[in-house]
Amino acid sequence: MFSIDLADDAQLFPLEARHAEEFFAHIERGREFIGRYVGFPDRSTDLESARALLAKYALTAGEDGARFFGIRQGGTLVGGVLFPAFDAASGNCEIGCWLEPAAAGRGLVTKACRVLIDYAFGERGMHRIEWHAASGNKKSLAVAERLGMTREGVMRQNYSHRGVRQDTEVWAILADEWPAARPA
């Protein structure tokens, strides 16, 4: 298995079905915090449903589609980043993230997203990367801004999460914008 160092004590790695116990323990630690804006904690209610979620993403990754990556800090899974949509044929993809409270504020998500953006633009030849986040998720929106993305608009009440209609902000960056936005 490969991992990429994000910091002295933090790594990014492919999150697979074999990590289900670790993933489920992580979700349990941060369920309410993570689930405030992200839907998959509500679909990972036990070990088997967590394993099924990871297996689904492993299958789509094998088909060159959506995929999950974990972030470990000090050997413990504390969050992750993902391509919830990855369409190489069209040159478009979407990046997302999640993190448990104990790991927030350390820049791990921003660093991990830069790795995914470098991969998508540099290795896969993507043209456009999107970021979708609930308008109330200010920390997620701040990551999009730190990544040099442009806020393109708001889809009003387009998503129901835990019975409440949410507005979704759409941010994006194009391949030719990334070199200027990426820190040296």
Side-chain angles (χ1 to χ4, degrees), residues 8-140:
D8 288 342
D9 66 341
Q11 298 78 37
L12 177 69
F13 68 99
L15 195 51
E16 301 169 346
R18 63 190 175 97
H19 300 114
E21 288 183 30
E22 180 181 18
F23 177 71
F24 183 63
H26 156 64
I27 293 300
E28 286 292 285
R29 285 191 307 273
R31 183 172 298 283
E32 285 310 307
F33 182 80
I34 298 166
R36 186 170 173 205
Y37 296 108
V38 177
F40 67 79
D42 295 346
R43 296 188 310 271
S44 300
T45 56
D46 56 27
L47 182 57
E48 286 312 306
S49 58
R51 187 180 326 279
L53 178 82
L54 294 178
K56 175 190 131 194
Y57 276 96
L59 179 63
T60 59
E63 297 169 344
D64 201 23
R67 56 202 81 187
F68 252 30
F69 299 89
I71 298 173
R72 280 194 187 112
Q73 183 174 32
T76 301
L77 181 65
V78 295
V81 293
L82 70 153
F83 287 114
F86 193 91
D87 185 349
S90 71
N92 298 315
C93 64
E94 178 189 344
I95 291 180
C97 66
W98 77 94
L99 204 59
E100 65 183 66
R106 297 188 175 136
L108 297 175
V109 163
T110 302
K111 290 176 186 175
C113 286
R114 286 184 182 130
V115 170
L116 266 59
I117 293 170
D118 283 344
Y119 167 77
F121 286 147
E123 293 185 38
R124 297 307 307 278
M126 289 291 186
H127 175 72
R128 174 185 169 86
I129 298 174
E130 294 182 3
W131 185 276
H132 297 195
S135 292
N137 191 346
K138 301 304 182 196
K139 290 183 185 242
S140 181

